[in-house]
Amino acid sequence: MIPDDAITRLADAPRLLVALDFDGTMSTLIDDPMQARMHPRARVAFDALRQAPGTTVALVSGRSLHDLRVIAEHEDDSDVLLAGSHGAERWTPDGASPEEPTLQERTVRDELRARAESIAASVPGAWIEPKTFGFAVPTRTVAPPLRGDLHARIDDLVATRAPGWRRRTGHDIVEYAFRDIGKDDAVAWLRQATDASAVLFAGDDITDEDALRALGTDDVGVRVGAGETAADVRVDDIPELAEMLVRLAQARGQARE
Ligand SMILES: O=P(O)(O)OC[C@H]1O[C@H](O[C@H]2O[C@H](CO)[C@@H](O)[C@H](O)[C@H]2O)[C@H](O)[C@@H](O)[C@@H]1O
């Protein structure tokens, strides 16, 4: 159910930020992360919001900024703001502001990643996804009975060699990172950068809950799919979210006629 009062409230905001998670929110989850692209209906809604008056659209993702730009087909002249690596890497039309890992951080990251890769090599279907500030262990291609042991071995590796790294879980994935920044930080930055008077944030996974919990009374949080959530609106799937976003784009146009 898509509540009309949420649409009306956001339609009247002087400056609206629409901040959207990517995987599972704008794009269907698939086995090969770099093949992910926006769902066609999500793309229509996304483009409609970009045209809506007084509205800024942003993507907020756990992906590295580089990978996010590839899968979102984000061009250099885009008006869409990006927060990659949960907000540690940022892009605005004025330029990117990637926070580079230090030489020491890169050395530790590369050593742990190589060790994780040799563990993954012994498990059919397992692989390690490189990330700017660490790495992830996706398991969609690993048989369920093998996943527990794989995660336990890599948990042990990280706990021993880099106990300060942050561990996050998501849909069929565990991520380890040496930057402790969350999507709440990303949305706070975007809110300030766009001087937004209201925010719509939509996401489907545990890391999105950081942003959803941090929203204010003038904002609207949307959870896509099942799971415990701090969002005030839940939609079943990406097409239902897309329908809501199209209605919002239309309502913002009408509010300014
Ligand atoms: O914050 P997000 O944009 O939702 O990114 C979270 C993770 O997304 C990707 O993994 C998820 O999507 C994959 C492709 O559909 C899927 O194979 C995987 O099971 C999902 O967890 C990405 O690969 C991760 O790096 C992101 O952290």
Side-chain angles (χ1 to χ4, degrees), residues 11-253:
D12 290 339
R15 290 171 307 285
L16 177 66
L17 167 67
V18 179
L20 303 163
D21 166 54
F22 193 84
D23 294 282
T25 299
M26 300 302 284
S27 159
T28 306
L29 298 179
I30 55 170
D31 288 350
D32 180 352
M34 290 314 293
Q35 296 305 314
R37 293 293 182 273
M38 257 183 226
H39 186 290
R41 289 171 71 176
R43 171 60 78 179
V44 168
F46 186 78
D47 289 340
L49 281 166
R50 290 172 62 187
Q51 304 298 322
T55 307
T56 304
V57 179
L59 293 171
V60 178
S61 176
R63 299 276 195 144
S64 69
L65 183 61
H66 172 272
D67 289 0
L68 180 59
R69 295 198 72 198
V70 172
I71 60 176
E73 301 173 280
H74 185 265
E75 305 287 346
D76 287 344
D77 60 355
S78 178
D79 49 16
V80 176
L81 277 59
L82 301 178
S85 297
H86 307 281
E89 299 180 290
R90 300 167 178 184
W91 189 99
T92 72
D94 296 331
S97 55
E99 206 199 303
E100 299 284 345
T102 64
L103 177 60
Q104 191 189 5
E105 287 171 332
R106 287 202 307 273
T107 305
V108 175
R109 177 197 67 189
D110 294 348
E111 185 213 317
L112 258 68
R113 193 187 288 166
R115 287 174 183 266
E117 276 166 353
S118 65
I119 293 171
S122 66
V123 180
W127 63 288
I128 300 300
E129 180 182 349
K131 311 270 266 189
T132 310
F133 301 106
F135 61 86
V137 186
T139 51
R140 289 177 67 88
T141 51
V142 177
L146 303 179
R147 295 178 185 176
D149 183 57
L150 171 66
H151 286 314
R153 290 166 69 194
I154 296 181
D155 278 350
D156 190 46
L157 167 72
V158 176
T160 306
R161 312 282 302 194
W165 283 27
R166 179 168 175 179
R167 182 186 193 274
R168 291 182 174 95
T169 57
H171 294 303
D172 300 310
I173 199 162
V174 176
E175 181 194 317
Y176 304 89
F178 52 85
R179 280 285 187 282
D180 188 9
I181 185 166
K183 292 189 179 182
D184 48 336
D185 301 297
V187 171
W189 162 65
L190 287 163
R191 188 193 296 274
Q192 188 182 32
T194 60
D195 194 23
S197 42
V199 175
L200 178 143
F201 180 87
D204 74 310
D205 211 344
I206 295 169
T207 59
D208 300 313
E209 294 297 323
D210 289 341
L212 289 166
R213 275 191 299 273
L215 295 178
T217 48
D218 291 334
D219 304 330
V220 173
V222 184
R223 171 81 179 211
V224 181
E228 209 173 299
T229 187
D232 26 31
V233 178
R234 188 190 298 274
V235 294
D236 286 341
D237 51 24
I238 297 172
E240 193 181 353
L241 173 69
E243 183 198 328
M244 177 183 184
L245 297 180
V246 166
R247 281 175 53 202
L248 175 59
Q250 289 167 347
R252 282 192 71 73

